[in-house]
Amino acid sequence: MREVVHYSALTFGAGESRLIGEIFWILVAAGALIWIMFVALKFYALHGNPAGESARKRARIYLIGGGVIFPVIMVTISIILTLRPLPQLLARAPSGSLTIHVSGLQWWWRVRYEVGGKMVETANEIYLPVNRPANFELSSEDVIHSFWIPSLAGKMDMIPGRKTHLSFTPRKTGTYVGNCAEYCGASHALMRLEVKVVEEKEFEDWLRNLSSGAVPGNHPGERAFAISGCTSCHAVRGVFPGGELGPDLTNFGSRRILGAGAMRNDLEKLHRWIKDPKSHKPGVKMPGFKNLPEEELMSIAEWLGGLR
Ligand code: CUA
């Protein structure tokens, strides 16, 4: 069965996104109504019989009514409508809710959970338990990004040197796509985030598995990964800790996308990605490994694909 993935700001996986969606529909309806009124008036002007002294008087009423009073009323209503839910949308989640630290980088997301006083890291993927308030602590490590999961909440800027916050409570399980909503350089459009809203038990299992890390083995890909220098940027906790410049790859094989949405995550695409990432994602900082023999590239891809 094909997995349903929610992209749209008009699909509501949380009360917070519903609040924003409702304002959208009210404004669309008001806009449609004004358009109909305008067209009707235009027909009247073309086909009615507006001449003489009384027509001039009526024109003045239209100008003052339609050009001053009506817009002032409409703009005031829309300001009230859009400001009213802000306190709720910007409120901090209650204490005891799940805190997730997310920072934006060109062009991927560093994701950290607090587990037993320690930070456990992953990248470009967030798991959330359904019906539990989630509190996001947001920051940036380079330029300004914007954190946006359209079906779950509004946007929040990620600003270097500052912490911003966003809270929402996911109400429906499923996969939700997030994107960076502030232009941040060449691959701004390839800065995708996947949010999986799951049952509490599944979340606990996922987090336990993530925090326990990977286990060293004797896969040739594991050796090739270290010898080729991948470990100076990427961490695979439990096997190669330390690399912080690039995304943490501890559970890489279980992710649906690679390169923050540059490609689907499968063996053949991962092989192509390691060989020449720049041809799939402009400006990406990861160097290509065209110099490696094909079988070595393949064994690295196989090993990474097996990390779950
Ligand atoms: Cu990050 Cu646009």
Side-chain angles (χ1 to χ4, degrees), residues 104-107 109 143-146 180-185 187-189 191:
L105 293 95
Q106 285 173 318
W107 293 278
W109 312 86
V143 299
I144 297 176
H145 303 272
S146 177
C180 181
E182 173 97 37
Y183 181 72
C184 55
S187 280
H188 154 72
M191 195 167 160

Side-chain angles (χ1 to χ4, degrees), residues 96-169:
S97 53
L98 178 71
T99 296
I100 305 119
H101 303 259
V102 184
S103 54
L105 293 95
Q106 285 173 318
W107 293 278
W108 59 282
W109 312 86
R110 192 192 298 281
V111 178
R112 290 194 188 105
Y113 290 82
E114 292 168 26
V115 183
K118 267 198 337 222
M119 287 290 193
V120 174
E121 188 166 325
T122 183
N124 304 327
E125 188 183 63
I126 296 174
Y127 269 64
L128 296 175
V130 69
N131 291 329
R132 189 154 136 204
N135 169 39
F136 289 90
E137 301 250 343
L138 306 171
S139 59
S140 167
E141 298 179 30
D142 42 42
V143 299
I144 297 176
H145 303 272
S146 177
F147 183 76
W148 190 31
I149 312 152
S151 308
L152 293 175
K155 300 169 184 172
M156 183 52 74
D157 271 6
M158 305 170 108
I159 304 163
R162 274 177 65 173
K163 282 245 185 290
T164 49
H165 300 267
L166 185 76
S167 300
F168 60 84
T169 308

Side-chain angles (χ1 to χ4, degrees), residues 224-284:
F225 185 82
I227 293 166
S228 311
C230 310
T231 51
S232 50
C233 296
H234 295 286
V236 176
R237 275 175 296 102
V239 188
F240 302 118
E244 283 202 339
L245 289 175
D248 181 292
L249 301 176
T250 307
N251 65 346
F252 178 80
S254 67
R255 297 179 200 159
R256 225 172 60 91
I257 52 169
L258 72 86
M263 294 164 144
R264 274 191 85 88
N265 187 9
D266 66 37
L267 205 57
E268 183 261 324
K269 294 202 171 67
L270 177 56
H271 176 259
R272 273 164 47 199
W273 171 266
I274 300 169
K275 194 171 174 179
D276 187 15
K278 285 193 171 59
S279 72
H280 306 290
K281 185 162 180 169
V284 68

Side-chain angles (χ1 to χ4, degrees), residues 219-221 267 270 274 295 297-307:
H219 194 288
L267 205 57
L270 177 56
I274 300 169
E295 59 273 26
L297 285 169
M298 203 40 157
S299 76
I300 293 175
E302 272 171 15
W303 178 65
L304 287 172
L307 296 172

